[in-house]
Amino acid sequence: MKENDKLQKEASKAQSPETFTGIKLKKAKKSAAGVPGITTALRHTGKYMSTGRAVKTMFRVNQKGGFDCPGCAWPDPDDERSKLGEYCENGIKAISEEAQKKTIGRDFFANHSISEMLQWSDFEIGKQGRLAEPMILRKGADHYETISWEASFELIAQELKALNNPDQAIFYTSGRTSNEAAFLYQLFVREFGTNNLPDCSNMCHESSGEGLSSTLGIGKGSVTLTDLYEAEVVMLIGQNPGTNHPRMLSALERCKENGGKIISVNPLPEAGLMKFVNPQRPGKVLKGGTSLTDLFMQVKVGGDIALLKAIMLRLWHDEKQGKDDTIFDWDFIHEKTEGYESFITHLSKHDFNELAKASGVERSKILEAVDLIKRNQKIIVCWAMGLTQHKFGVANIQEVVNLLLLKGSIGKPGAGTCPVRGHSNVQGDRTMGIWENPKPEFLNKLKATYGFEPPRKHGYAVIDAIKAMYEEKAKVFFAMGGNFLSASPDTEYTAQALSNCQLTVHVSTKLNRSHLVHGQQALILPCLGRTDIDFQKSGEQFVSVENSMGVVHSSQGVLNPPSKHLLSEPAIIARLAQATLGSSSKVEWEEMANDYDRVRDAIENIIPGFEDFNRRVREPGGFYLPNGARKQEFNTPSGKAHFTVNEVPENTITEGHYIMMTIRSHDQHNTTIYGLDDRYRGIYNERRVVLMNKKDIKKENLSSGDVIHLTSHYKGEKRIARSFIIIAYDIPSGFIATYFPEANVLVPINSYAKGSKTPSSKWVEVSIEKA
C-alpha cells in the first residue's frame, strides 16, 4: 500500500458508528479551574511521575531560576511569584508527560511496525513514553531500528551535500526550541545556504506579526502583565484562555479586582471567559470564584471586522455629535499616527445596522461595548487564533489596531496590544532569526561576524514548504521539534508531501504522527526536554526563552534525563553543522555546544536588545527586550503608527453548507493530546465530535448523537472526514466547530490569510451527510 494511501485512511480516521460507545455528555461548565483543576493535575502527575519527581518539578516550574513550562508562552509575574506554584492544570499535564521515566527504544520499535502505529489515534501515539535513543527507518522498511548518533549525523550530512542546491532542504522549527538552539539552528541553515526556515508561527500568529508590523512597526504585543492589572477595559477576542493559556485568568482576576471591565468576543461562551475559581485562594473557591466577563458578545465566525467597525463607527458618530470630547485622543492621532482621514472616510460609508447584522451581535450589546470603550482610555485588546486563522486574518489585527489608535490606547500604562501566543518560546525563535524572510540588517551582521554570504532569497514558510515537498522541489525535511503533519493543514496533501522526500528527520522528546509518515528514509533524534538537567563539557547548562510579552529569562532543568542516549538541541545542531559544513565553517560549533554562554555571546553580538546578555539573563526574572510601541516609538517608514483601510469580508456561503472552525479541547495543547475529555464543554471520552446549533440540527432532520461525515468545499475541490458525532451546542447558526488535528484534513492547502499565509482553519466551508 502506498504511504499516502495509508495516510488517507488514517487521516480521516474512518470509524464506524459502532465505535462511538464511550462518549459521555454533561452540562458545559460555567467556571474554569477550581478544585477540579487541582484534582485533574494531580491525577496526571500520579500517572506519569513518582511523588518525589512531581514535587520537584511543580515547585520549580516557572519560578525564578527554575525551568520554563513547555506549554504556553504566558508570562510570569515580574514581582513575587506564588510559593504554591506558578503553573496551571494543562501545564502540569505537559510536564508530567515530558518528565515521565517510561521510555521507548529498540524493543518498542521492533514490536510495533509503522503500519500498526498508523492505525493508532494521536492520543495513543503520544502516550508511549519518552524517546530513548536515535532510530532510523531504512528505505522500504516498516520498522525503525537503532542507529548511532555519529551515523545519524553522517547520513543527514550526506543527503544535504548531495542536493542540487540548498533550497531543496527545509528546516522546520517548533516553538519549544530554546533561544540558544534556535540561534545555532538558523546560523547553520544559513551557512548551509538557504532561508527555508518555516516555523509553527506561520500556522498561528503570523497574521499578528504581519498586522502589527505594518501598523506599529513591531510584530510583538506592546503590553506587560502590569498593564493588564491596570487596564480599565480588556477586550478578549477569538481566544479561550481557560484552556489555551489558563494562567492568564489570574491576571484577568487581578484586573477585575482593580476595577477593570472585560468584554469577551467569541462564537462560543467558554467557561474560562465567564468565571475563574482561583485554586490558590480558598476564599475564592468557597465563594464560587470571580466573574470575569462583564459583556459577552457572541460574534459570528468571521464577523470580527464587522463588529469592530460597528464599534468604531458609533464612537465616531458620538465624537462628531460632540457628546463627549474625550472619546478620541486627538493629540495622539495628530502627533503619532497617519492615515486617519482615509480610514475615517472609508468607515463613514458603512451602515451601523448592516455591520451589526454581519457581525451577528445584537445592536444593544454593541452599544454597551461602545459605552465602555468611549468612557475609558486604558484599553487592552487580547486575541489568539480566532482572529489570525482567517483569509482576512491580517485585516482582523489591523482593525484591532485601528480601534486602539482612535483611543490613543497604545504605549500608555494599562493599554495596548496583546497577541496571546500558544507555544513557549515561539516568539523567541523569531527573535533569534527563525524566519524565512529575514531582514537585510540581520543577514549583514551574520556576514560580518562569520565570514560567509547568507542567502538573500526569501525561503519557504509552512504552506510553501509543503507545496515544495509535494511538487518534489524539496528533498530533505528536518524538524526541530513539533508534530508537523498533525499541525499542518490539508493532512492528506501534507502526508504526500512528506512521503515525497528522500529523507525526513525529527528532533523530538516523544513519539508523534509525523514520525510515521516519512520520506524514503527517516530519522528520529531524541533530545533533552525542558525538565531535564543538561550537562555539557563545561558543566551544567541553562537555556533562555522569550515569553509572550518580550521578557527573556533562563530555564534550567531539574530532573535526571530518562535515557543516557539523549542529546541537547544545541549539541544536535552543532554536531550536524560540523558533519555538514566541515572545516570550511568559521563558527566555533563545538565550543558553543560545550558552553551555552558562548552561544549567548554570539547572540549579543548579532541581535539588538541582548547587550550584556549573560549577566542579565542570570538576574532573577530576566529582562525585557526593547519594544518601540510600548513607548509610542513606531518603527515604520514615517515613524508613525498607521491607520489602515480594510473591507468587511463578504463571507458568502453556499446554500445548505456550513462554516467549520477548528478548536482545541481542554485535554490538549496544540497537537499534544493529554486525554479524551473536554471538561469545560461537558464532552467526555471522545474527540470526533461536531458542535452544532440546535436549530441547524433540526433543520437537517438530525439529532444530537447522530454520526455524520464532513466534506469541505474549496474552488471545486472536496476533502472528506468521516464519522463525527453531532453535539448540540451554543454556537451561532450556520457554523460548526470540530477539534484539530482530527479536522485538519478538511482545511485546504490553498486557503490562507492574505499577507501572512496562515491557514484559514477558522473558515472552512463544509457540507454534512448522515453516516
Side-chain angles (χ1 to χ4, degrees), residues 322-338:
K323 293 183 177 181
D324 192 330
D325 59 2
T326 62
I327 296 178
F328 288 1
D329 187 334
W330 288 109
D331 289 341
F332 177 84
I333 291 171
H334 291 146
E335 296 173 12
K336 299 291 185 178
T337 76
E338 64 179 11

Side-chain angles (χ1 to χ4, degrees), residues 111 136 185 270 359 491 555 581 585 634 669 743 748:
N111 291 329
I136 183 172
Y185 192 43
E270 305 286 13
S359 75
T491 311
S555 176
L581 304 174
S585 177
F634 304 110
H669 177 67

Side-chain angles (χ1 to χ4, degrees), residues 611-657:
E611 295 79 11
D612 204 9
F613 189 7
N614 270 306
R615 181 189 65 80
R616 290 197 294 160
V617 78
R618 284 175 163 84
E619 293 178 354
F623 60 93
Y624 280 90
L625 289 175
N627 188 307
R630 195 169 287 160
K631 301 185 295 180
Q632 295 188 357
E633 296 173 359
F634 304 110
N635 188 26
T636 62
S638 66
K640 293 186 176 184
H642 294 174
F643 282 95
T644 49
V645 173
N646 299 294
E647 300 296 335
V648 177
E650 293 185 7
N651 291 346
T652 55
I653 308 171
T654 302
E655 181 68 26
H657 288 184

